[in-house]
Amino acid sequence: MASSDRTVLQFSSSSQSFSAKVHPLVIFNICDCYVRRPDQADRVIGTLLGSVLPDGTVDIRNSYAVPHNESIEQVALDIEYHHNMLISHQKVNPKEIIVGWYSTGLGVTGGSALIHEFYSREVQHPIHLTVDTGFTNGGGTIKAYVSNNLSLGERQIAAQFQEIPLDLRMVEAERIGFDMLKATAVDKIPSDLEGMEASMQHLLVLIDDIYKYVDDVVEGRVAPDNKIGRFISDAVGSLPKVSPRVFDKLVNDSLQDHLLLLYLSSITRTQLSLAEKLNTAAQIL
């Protein structure tokens, strides 16, 4: 019987001796980039910097975010920004090299393979770090992966992400900060208008407390305190003597300036997004 040729599926494993150690600064930096992300972005991705220890452990010590646009079919990275940031970091810390990349969210997504393929051209066997910035169930899950290639003959047809051991060591002060970060999870940094609204609401609460205290002192329900009285007098005396008409004009002028800045920043973001897509397309072609 003649033997028939067979094509064998080959699974190349690169995670047998891999492990990673991440410093708390990296996690804090990723969370900060997440809350400062653009309004249309669902997640943040970026580059991991560090070194490989003599025992093979990947030591992740620093990171920076990389602007990107992501859709169901494609992922566009700002490659020029990535290289410029790498050059800037290596001027300060020349021993830090690219060791992988990170993304926010739970686990690996569909576009992760495309991004991992790019970083595989930057460094051999890159680490993929995922950080649950939503702190689902109060956990703040942090995981590390490497990619294993599945080949059909000599043709690569797929990639599988396999989790590797990850060590997150913190001193007591860093642990307290991380626990506070999990307890006060914020999805986005409030805008200037939202911050002003919160400040005005807090100011109104304080004014109501002062009114109540003064009424209680006048009615004899509370003993007067000269120190508090001097504080109230200084606060009232520091208010500028401006007529309501002039005050309204100042507020309206400031509001118009703020709206103009918002409009200009929106135009700038649109222009940068178009330039990023054209630059990425030109580098791919």
Side-chain angles (χ1 to χ4, degrees):
M1 181 183 293
S3 61
S4 59
D5 295 335
R6 295 182 179 180
T7 303
V8 180
L9 286 173
Q10 297 179 344
F11 187 78
S12 61
S13 176
S14 62
S15 62
Q16 295 177 353
S17 60
F18 264 80
S19 63
K21 180 173 66 174
V22 60
H23 290 242
L25 173 64
V26 177
I27 306 302
F28 296 146
N29 190 20
I30 293 174
C31 292
D32 180 69
C33 293
Y34 178 75
V35 297
R36 299 178 187 275
R37 72 191 186 281
D39 294 335
Q40 67 274 14
D42 294 327
R43 67 170 180 166
V44 175
I45 67 172
T47 302
L48 298 174
L49 300 177
S51 61
V52 180
L53 303 179
D55 61 354
T57 301
V58 178
D59 187 22
I60 306 172
R61 296 194 297 266
N62 209 341
S63 67
Y64 58 85
V66 177
H68 78 291
N69 286 324
E70 190 171 3
S71 63
I72 300 177
E73 300 178 352
Q74 65 178 2
V75 179
L77 293 176
D78 192 337
I79 301 176
E80 182 178 359
Y81 178 89
H82 159 68
H83 288 153
N84 289 338
M85 286 294 293
L86 177 61
I87 293 173
S88 300
H89 274 271
Q90 290 185 333
K91 287 181 180 179
V92 180
N93 298 304
K95 294 183 179 180
E96 289 186 352
I97 61 173
I98 297 176
V99 295
W101 65 286
Y102 72 81
S103 67
T104 58
L106 278 172
V108 179
T109 63
S112 297
L114 297 174
I115 304 173
H116 200 82
E117 181 182 356
F118 165 74
Y119 280 94
S120 296
R121 298 194 294 266
E122 299 284 309
V123 61
Q124 189 178 13
H125 304 314
I127 299 293
H128 176 30
L129 185 73
T130 62
V131 180
D132 176 23
T133 49
F135 294 101
T136 306
N137 299 325
T141 306
I142 303 170
K143 295 183 178 181
Y145 303 86
V146 293
S147 177
N148 299 321
N149 297 327
L150 179 63
S151 301
L152 181 61
E154 296 185 355
R155 179 186 176 187
Q156 180 180 340
I157 60 175
Q160 180 190 37
F161 286 92
Q162 183 171 347
E163 187 176 353
I164 63 174
L166 179 65
D167 183 14
L168 176 59
R169 295 185 179 180
M170 300 182 184
V171 299
E172 184 63 23
E174 293 168 338
R175 175 63 62 184
I176 293 174
F178 186 67
D179 292 340
M180 288 293 296
L181 184 65
K182 291 191 296 184
T184 58
V186 177
D187 184 64
K188 290 286 290 183
I189 292 181
S191 64
D192 292 342
L193 289 177
E194 292 172 343
M196 180 181 295
E197 181 182 3
S199 298
M200 295 302 297
Q201 290 176 350
H202 180 63
L203 179 61
L204 289 175
V205 171
L206 295 178
I207 292 176
D208 289 339
D209 291 341
I210 293 298
Y211 269 124
K212 183 176 183 303
Y213 172 78
V214 173
D215 289 341
D216 290 342
V217 170
V218 173
E219 298 294 333
R221 292 189 293 266
V222 175
D225 189 325
N226 294 333
K227 187 176 181 180
I228 297 178
R230 284 193 294 268
F231 281 143
I232 296 175
S233 177
D234 293 340
V236 174
S238 63
L239 296 176
K241 296 182 179 179
V242 180
S243 64
R245 182 179 59 84
V246 175
F247 181 77
D248 290 341
K249 184 177 183 303
L250 291 174
V251 172
N252 291 331
D253 290 344
S254 177
L255 180 61
Q256 293 296 328
D257 292 341
H258 184 73
L259 293 176
L260 179 60
L261 288 175
L262 290 177
Y263 178 71
L264 292 177
S265 63
S266 177
I267 294 178
T268 303
R269 283 197 301 269
T270 303
Q271 183 179 4
L272 291 176
S273 178
L274 291 174
E276 176 187 336
K277 291 183 178 180
L278 292 175
N279 183 44
T280 302
Q283 293 189 16
I284 293 176
L285 296 176

mmCIF file with all atom_site columns, all heavy atoms in Angstrom, residues 190-206 255 258:
data_model
loop_
_atom_site.group_PDB
_atom_site.id
_atom_site.type_symbol
_atom_site.label_atom_id
_atom_site.label_alt_id
_atom_site.label_comp_id
_atom_site.label_asym_id
_atom_site.label_entity_id
_atom_site.label_seq_id
_atom_site.pdbx_PDB_ins_code
_atom_site.Cartn_x
_atom_site.Cartn_y
_atom_site.Cartn_z
_atom_site.occupancy
_atom_site.B_iso_or_equiv
_atom_site.pdbx_formal_charge
_atom_site.auth_seq_id
_atom_site.auth_comp_id
_atom_site.auth_asym_id
_atom_site.auth_atom_id
_atom_site.pdbx_PDB_model_num
ATOM 1   N N   . PRO A 1 190 ? -13.783 63.673 35.407 1.00 0.00 ? 190 PRO A N   1
ATOM 2   C CA  . PRO A 1 190 ? -14.847 64.625 35.079 1.00 0.00 ? 190 PRO A CA  1
ATOM 3   C C   . PRO A 1 190 ? -14.325 65.786 34.260 1.00 0.00 ? 190 PRO A C   1
ATOM 4   O O   . PRO A 1 190 ? -13.167 66.212 34.410 1.00 0.00 ? 190 PRO A O   1
ATOM 5   C CB  . PRO A 1 190 ? -15.351 65.080 36.461 1.00 0.00 ? 190 PRO A CB  1
ATOM 6   C CG  . PRO A 1 190 ? -14.223 64.800 37.398 1.00 0.00 ? 190 PRO A CG  1
ATOM 7   C CD  . PRO A 1 190 ? -13.538 63.584 36.855 1.00 0.00 ? 190 PRO A CD  1
ATOM 8   N N   . SER A 1 191 ? -15.171 66.306 33.394 1.00 0.00 ? 191 SER A N   1
ATOM 9   C CA  . SER A 1 191 ? -14.800 67.462 32.585 1.00 0.00 ? 191 SER A CA  1
ATOM 10  C C   . SER A 1 191 ? -14.777 68.716 33.443 1.00 0.00 ? 191 SER A C   1
ATOM 11  O O   . SER A 1 191 ? -15.142 68.697 34.626 1.00 0.00 ? 191 SER A O   1
ATOM 12  C CB  . SER A 1 191 ? -15.790 67.625 31.430 1.00 0.00 ? 191 SER A CB  1
ATOM 13  O OG  . SER A 1 191 ? -17.093 67.915 31.937 1.00 0.00 ? 191 SER A OG  1
ATOM 14  N N   . ASP A 1 192 ? -14.334 69.821 32.842 1.00 0.00 ? 192 ASP A N   1
ATOM 15  C CA  . ASP A 1 192 ? -14.272 71.079 33.583 1.00 0.00 ? 192 ASP A CA  1
ATOM 16  C C   . ASP A 1 192 ? -15.652 71.515 34.058 1.00 0.00 ? 192 ASP A C   1
ATOM 17  O O   . ASP A 1 192 ? -15.813 71.984 35.193 1.00 0.00 ? 192 ASP A O   1
ATOM 18  C CB  . ASP A 1 192 ? -13.644 72.171 32.711 1.00 0.00 ? 192 ASP A CB  1
ATOM 19  C CG  . ASP A 1 192 ? -12.167 71.907 32.437 1.00 0.00 ? 192 ASP A CG  1
ATOM 20  O OD1 . ASP A 1 192 ? -11.574 71.106 33.186 1.00 0.00 ? 192 ASP A OD1 1
ATOM 21  O OD2 . ASP A 1 192 ? -11.627 72.477 31.471 1.00 0.00 ? 192 ASP A OD2 1
ATOM 22  N N   . LEU A 1 193 ? -16.661 71.346 33.194 1.00 0.00 ? 193 LEU A N   1
ATOM 23  C CA  . LEU A 1 193 ? -18.009 71.755 33.578 1.00 0.00 ? 193 LEU A CA  1
ATOM 24  C C   . LEU A 1 193 ? -18.553 70.874 34.698 1.00 0.00 ? 193 LEU A C   1
ATOM 25  O O   . LEU A 1 193 ? -19.192 71.358 35.635 1.00 0.00 ? 193 LEU A O   1
ATOM 26  C CB  . LEU A 1 193 ? -18.933 71.700 32.365 1.00 0.00 ? 193 LEU A CB  1
ATOM 27  C CG  . LEU A 1 193 ? -18.717 72.777 31.292 1.00 0.00 ? 193 LEU A CG  1
ATOM 28  C CD1 . LEU A 1 193 ? -19.656 72.554 30.119 1.00 0.00 ? 193 LEU A CD1 1
ATOM 29  C CD2 . LEU A 1 193 ? -18.917 74.166 31.879 1.00 0.00 ? 193 LEU A CD2 1
ATOM 30  N N   . GLU A 1 194 ? -18.281 69.554 34.609 1.00 0.00 ? 194 GLU A N   1
ATOM 31  C CA  . GLU A 1 194 ? -18.731 68.647 35.663 1.00 0.00 ? 194 GLU A CA  1
ATOM 32  C C   . GLU A 1 194 ? -18.018 68.933 36.974 1.00 0.00 ? 194 GLU A C   1
ATOM 33  O O   . GLU A 1 194 ? -18.619 68.888 38.055 1.00 0.00 ? 194 GLU A O   1
ATOM 34  C CB  . GLU A 1 194 ? -18.482 67.200 35.237 1.00 0.00 ? 194 GLU A CB  1
ATOM 35  C CG  . GLU A 1 194 ? -19.354 66.753 34.080 1.00 0.00 ? 194 GLU A CG  1
ATOM 36  C CD  . GLU A 1 194 ? -18.950 65.391 33.547 1.00 0.00 ? 194 GLU A CD  1
ATOM 37  O OE1 . GLU A 1 194 ? -17.813 64.954 33.866 1.00 0.00 ? 194 GLU A OE1 1
ATOM 38  O OE2 . GLU A 1 194 ? -19.752 64.763 32.831 1.00 0.00 ? 194 GLU A OE2 1
ATOM 39  N N   . GLY A 1 195 ? -16.718 69.241 36.886 1.00 0.00 ? 195 GLY A N   1
ATOM 40  C CA  . GLY A 1 195 ? -15.990 69.594 38.092 1.00 0.00 ? 195 GLY A CA  1
ATOM 41  C C   . GLY A 1 195 ? -16.503 70.882 38.717 1.00 0.00 ? 195 GLY A C   1
ATOM 42  O O   . GLY A 1 195 ? -16.619 70.985 39.942 1.00 0.00 ? 195 GLY A O   1
ATOM 43  N N   . MET A 1 196 ? -16.840 71.870 37.855 1.00 0.00 ? 196 MET A N   1
ATOM 44  C CA  . MET A 1 196 ? -17.392 73.127 38.376 1.00 0.00 ? 196 MET A CA  1
ATOM 45  C C   . MET A 1 196 ? -18.752 72.893 39.025 1.00 0.00 ? 196 MET A C   1
ATOM 46  O O   . MET A 1 196 ? -19.049 73.471 40.086 1.00 0.00 ? 196 MET A O   1
ATOM 47  C CB  . MET A 1 196 ? -17.519 74.150 37.240 1.00 0.00 ? 196 MET A CB  1
ATOM 48  C CG  . MET A 1 196 ? -18.083 75.489 37.680 1.00 0.00 ? 196 MET A CG  1
ATOM 49  S SD  . MET A 1 196 ? -18.240 76.659 36.307 1.00 0.00 ? 196 MET A SD  1
ATOM 50  C CE  . MET A 1 196 ? -16.517 76.902 35.882 1.00 0.00 ? 196 MET A CE  1
ATOM 51  N N   . GLU A 1 197 ? -19.562 72.038 38.419 1.00 0.00 ? 197 GLU A N   1
ATOM 52  C CA  . GLU A 1 197 ? -20.880 71.747 38.989 1.00 0.00 ? 197 GLU A CA  1
ATOM 53  C C   . GLU A 1 197 ? -20.746 71.096 40.367 1.00 0.00 ? 197 GLU A C   1
ATOM 54  O O   . GLU A 1 197 ? -21.458 71.462 41.314 1.00 0.00 ? 197 GLU A O   1
ATOM 55  C CB  . GLU A 1 197 ? -21.654 70.832 38.047 1.00 0.00 ? 197 GLU A CB  1
ATOM 56  C CG  . GLU A 1 197 ? -23.056 70.490 38.560 1.00 0.00 ? 197 GLU A CG  1
ATOM 57  C CD  . GLU A 1 197 ? -23.794 69.554 37.633 1.00 0.00 ? 197 GLU A CD  1
ATOM 58  O OE1 . GLU A 1 197 ? -23.198 69.130 36.628 1.00 0.00 ? 197 GLU A OE1 1
ATOM 59  O OE2 . GLU A 1 197 ? -24.966 69.226 37.921 1.00 0.00 ? 197 GLU A OE2 1
ATOM 60  N N   . ALA A 1 198 ? -19.825 70.141 40.488 1.00 0.00 ? 198 ALA A N   1
ATOM 61  C CA  . ALA A 1 198 ? -19.624 69.480 41.780 1.00 0.00 ? 198 ALA A CA  1
ATOM 62  C C   . ALA A 1 198 ? -19.105 70.467 42.820 1.00 0.00 ? 198 ALA A C   1
ATOM 63  O O   . ALA A 1 198 ? -19.518 70.443 43.994 1.00 0.00 ? 198 ALA A O   1
ATOM 64  C CB  . ALA A 1 198 ? -18.646 68.314 41.622 1.00 0.00 ? 198 ALA A CB  1
ATOM 65  N N   . SER A 1 199 ? -18.221 71.384 42.401 1.00 0.00 ? 199 SER A N   1
ATOM 66  C CA  . SER A 1 199 ? -17.691 72.385 43.333 1.00 0.00 ? 199 SER A CA  1
ATOM 67  C C   . SER A 1 199 ? -18.783 73.334 43.801 1.00 0.00 ? 199 SER A C   1
ATOM 68  O O   . SER A 1 199 ? -18.848 73.699 44.988 1.00 0.00 ? 199 SER A O   1
ATOM 69  C CB  . SER A 1 199 ? -16.558 73.170 42.670 1.00 0.00 ? 199 SER A CB  1
ATOM 70  O OG  . SER A 1 199 ? -15.479 72.319 42.326 1.00 0.00 ? 199 SER A OG  1
ATOM 71  N N   . MET A 1 200 ? -19.666 73.749 42.879 1.00 0.00 ? 200 MET A N   1
ATOM 72  C CA  . MET A 1 200 ? -20.747 74.650 43.250 1.00 0.00 ? 200 MET A CA  1
ATOM 73  C C   . MET A 1 200 ? -21.735 73.971 44.194 1.00 0.00 ? 200 MET A C   1
ATOM 74  O O   . MET A 1 200 ? -22.241 74.594 45.140 1.00 0.00 ? 200 MET A O   1
ATOM 75  C CB  . MET A 1 200 ? -21.467 75.142 41.989 1.00 0.00 ? 200 MET A CB  1
ATOM 76  C CG  . MET A 1 200 ? -20.612 76.002 41.071 1.00 0.00 ? 200 MET A CG  1
ATOM 77  S SD  . MET A 1 200 ? -19.964 77.480 41.906 1.00 0.00 ? 200 MET A SD  1
ATOM 78  C CE  . MET A 1 200 ? -21.473 78.343 42.292 1.00 0.00 ? 200 MET A CE  1
ATOM 79  N N   . GLN A 1 201 ? -22.017 72.687 43.956 1.00 0.00 ? 201 GLN A N   1
ATOM 80  C CA  . GLN A 1 201 ? -22.913 71.966 44.860 1.00 0.00 ? 201 GLN A CA  1
ATOM 81  C C   . GLN A 1 201 ? -22.312 71.858 46.259 1.00 0.00 ? 201 GLN A C   1
ATOM 82  O O   . GLN A 1 201 ? -23.016 72.028 47.270 1.00 0.00 ? 201 GLN A O   1
ATOM 83  C CB  . GLN A 1 201 ? -23.200 70.574 44.297 1.00 0.00 ? 201 GLN A CB  1
ATOM 84  C CG  . GLN A 1 201 ? -24.063 70.583 43.047 1.00 0.00 ? 201 GLN A CG  1
ATOM 85  C CD  . GLN A 1 201 ? -24.254 69.197 42.464 1.00 0.00 ? 201 GLN A CD  1
ATOM 86  O OE1 . GLN A 1 201 ? -23.588 68.236 42.877 1.00 0.00 ? 201 GLN A OE1 1
ATOM 87  N NE2 . GLN A 1 201 ? -25.160 69.076 41.491 1.00 0.00 ? 201 GLN A NE2 1
ATOM 88  N N   . HIS A 1 202 ? -21.006 71.595 46.318 1.00 0.00 ? 202 HIS A N   1
ATOM 89  C CA  . HIS A 1 202 ? -20.340 71.526 47.618 1.00 0.00 ? 202 HIS A CA  1
ATOM 90  C C   . HIS A 1 202 ? -20.352 72.892 48.302 1.00 0.00 ? 202 HIS A C   1
ATOM 91  O O   . HIS A 1 202 ? -20.543 72.993 49.519 1.00 0.00 ? 202 HIS A O   1
ATOM 92  C CB  . HIS A 1 202 ? -18.907 71.037 47.428 1.00 0.00 ? 202 HIS A CB  1
ATOM 93  C CG  . HIS A 1 202 ? -18.128 70.916 48.705 1.00 0.00 ? 202 HIS A CG  1
ATOM 94  N ND1 . HIS A 1 202 ? -18.487 70.040 49.718 1.00 0.00 ? 202 HIS A ND1 1
ATOM 95  C CD2 . HIS A 1 202 ? -17.020 71.567 49.152 1.00 0.00 ? 202 HIS A CD2 1
ATOM 96  C CE1 . HIS A 1 202 ? -17.628 70.152 50.718 1.00 0.00 ? 202 HIS A CE1 1
ATOM 97  N NE2 . HIS A 1 202 ? -16.733 71.069 50.400 1.00 0.00 ? 202 HIS A NE2 1
ATOM 98  N N   . LEU A 1 203 ? -20.156 73.964 47.514 1.00 0.00 ? 203 LEU A N   1
ATOM 99  C CA  . LEU A 1 203 ? -20.175 75.319 48.074 1.00 0.00 ? 203 LEU A CA  1
ATOM 100 C C   . LEU A 1 203 ? -21.556 75.651 48.634 1.00 0.00 ? 203 LEU A C   1
ATOM 101 O O   . LEU A 1 203 ? -21.666 76.274 49.714 1.00 0.00 ? 203 LEU A O   1
ATOM 102 C CB  . LEU A 1 203 ? -19.772 76.323 46.999 1.00 0.00 ? 203 LEU A CB  1
ATOM 103 C CG  . LEU A 1 203 ? -19.771 77.805 47.407 1.00 0.00 ? 203 LEU A CG  1
ATOM 104 C CD1 . LEU A 1 203 ? -18.784 78.053 48.548 1.00 0.00 ? 203 LEU A CD1 1
ATOM 105 C CD2 . LEU A 1 203 ? -19.439 78.682 46.208 1.00 0.00 ? 203 LEU A CD2 1
ATOM 106 N N   . LEU A 1 204 ? -22.612 75.257 47.924 1.00 0.00 ? 204 LEU A N   1
ATOM 107 C CA  . LEU A 1 204 ? -23.969 75.526 48.417 1.00 0.00 ? 204 LEU A CA  1
ATOM 108 C C   . LEU A 1 204 ? -24.233 74.793 49.732 1.00 0.00 ? 204 LEU A C   1
ATOM 109 O O   . LEU A 1 204 ? -24.892 75.340 50.635 1.00 0.00 ? 204 LEU A O   1
ATOM 110 C CB  . LEU A 1 204 ? -24.993 75.102 47.369 1.00 0.00 ? 204 LEU A CB  1
ATOM 111 C CG  . LEU A 1 204 ? -25.067 75.979 46.102 1.00 0.00 ? 204 LEU A CG  1
ATOM 112 C CD1 . LEU A 1 204 ? -26.032 75.378 45.103 1.00 0.00 ? 204 LEU A CD1 1
ATOM 113 C CD2 . LEU A 1 204 ? -25.483 77.402 46.457 1.00 0.00 ? 204 LEU A CD2 1
ATOM 114 N N   . VAL A 1 205 ? -23.713 73.576 49.862 1.00 0.00 ? 205 VAL A N   1
ATOM 115 C CA  . VAL A 1 205 ? -23.877 72.831 51.113 1.00 0.00 ? 205 VAL A CA  1
ATOM 116 C C   . VAL A 1 205 ? -23.168 73.561 52.256 1.00 0.00 ? 205 VAL A C   1
ATOM 117 O O   . VAL A 1 205 ? -23.718 73.695 53.371 1.00 0.00 ? 205 VAL A O   1
ATOM 118 C CB  . VAL A 1 205 ? -23.332 71.400 50.958 1.00 0.00 ? 205 VAL A CB  1
ATOM 119 C CG1 . VAL A 1 205 ? -23.299 70.683 52.310 1.00 0.00 ? 205 VAL A CG1 1
ATOM 120 C CG2 . VAL A 1 205 ? -24.183 70.615 49.978 1.00 0.00 ? 205 VAL A CG2 1
ATOM 121 N N   . LEU A 1 206 ? -21.966 74.070 51.995 1.00 0.00 ? 206 LEU A N   1
ATOM 122 C CA  . LEU A 1 206 ? -21.234 74.811 53.036 1.00 0.00 ? 206 LEU A CA  1
ATOM 123 C C   . LEU A 1 206 ? -21.963 76.096 53.429 1.00 0.00 ? 206 LEU A C   1
ATOM 124 O O   . LEU A 1 206 ? -22.027 76.455 54.614 1.00 0.00 ? 206 LEU A O   1
ATOM 125 C CB  . LEU A 1 206 ? -19.820 75.130 52.540 1.00 0.00 ? 206 LEU A CB  1
ATOM 126 C CG  . LEU A 1 206 ? -18.890 73.930 52.299 1.00 0.00 ? 206 LEU A CG  1
ATOM 127 C CD1 . LEU A 1 206 ? -17.548 74.413 51.769 1.00 0.00 ? 206 LEU A CD1 1
ATOM 128 C CD2 . LEU A 1 206 ? -18.689 73.146 53.589 1.00 0.00 ? 206 LEU A CD2 1
ATOM 129 N N   . LEU A 1 255 ? -17.895 81.370 29.992 1.00 0.00 ? 255 LEU A N   1
ATOM 130 C CA  . LEU A 1 255 ? -18.547 80.207 29.416 1.00 0.00 ? 255 LEU A CA  1
ATOM 131 C C   . LEU A 1 255 ? -18.329 80.149 27.907 1.00 0.00 ? 255 LEU A C   1
ATOM 132 O O   . LEU A 1 255 ? -18.065 79.069 27.349 1.00 0.00 ? 255 LEU A O   1
ATOM 133 C CB  . LEU A 1 255 ? -20.046 80.236 29.737 1.00 0.00 ? 255 LEU A CB  1
ATOM 134 C CG  . LEU A 1 255 ? -20.880 79.069 29.199 1.00 0.00 ? 255 LEU A CG  1
ATOM 135 C CD1 . LEU A 1 255 ? -20.387 77.758 29.784 1.00 0.00 ? 255 LEU A CD1 1
ATOM 136 C CD2 . LEU A 1 255 ? -22.358 79.286 29.525 1.00 0.00 ? 255 LEU A CD2 1
ATOM 137 N N   . HIS A 1 258 ? -14.867 78.949 27.204 1.00 0.00 ? 258 HIS A N   1
ATOM 138 C CA  . HIS A 1 258 ? -14.734 77.517 27.452 1.00 0.00 ? 258 HIS A CA  1
ATOM 139 C C   . HIS A 1 258 ? -15.350 76.700 26.306 1.00 0.00 ? 258 HIS A C   1
ATOM 140 O O   . HIS A 1 258 ? -14.762 75.703 25.865 1.00 0.00 ? 258 HIS A O   1
ATOM 141 C CB  . HIS A 1 258 ? -15.421 77.167 28.774 1.00 0.00 ? 258 HIS A CB  1
ATOM 142 C CG  . HIS A 1 258 ? -15.268 75.733 29.172 1.00 0.00 ? 258 HIS A CG  1
ATOM 143 N ND1 . HIS A 1 258 ? -14.083 75.204 29.634 1.00 0.00 ? 258 HIS A ND1 1
ATOM 144 C CD2 . HIS A 1 258 ? -16.158 74.711 29.142 1.00 0.00 ? 258 HIS A CD2 1
ATOM 145 C CE1 . HIS A 1 258 ? -14.238 73.928 29.890 1.00 0.00 ? 258 HIS A CE1 1
ATOM 146 N NE2 . HIS A 1 258 ? -15.483 73.600 29.603 1.00 0.00 ? 258 HIS A NE2 1
#
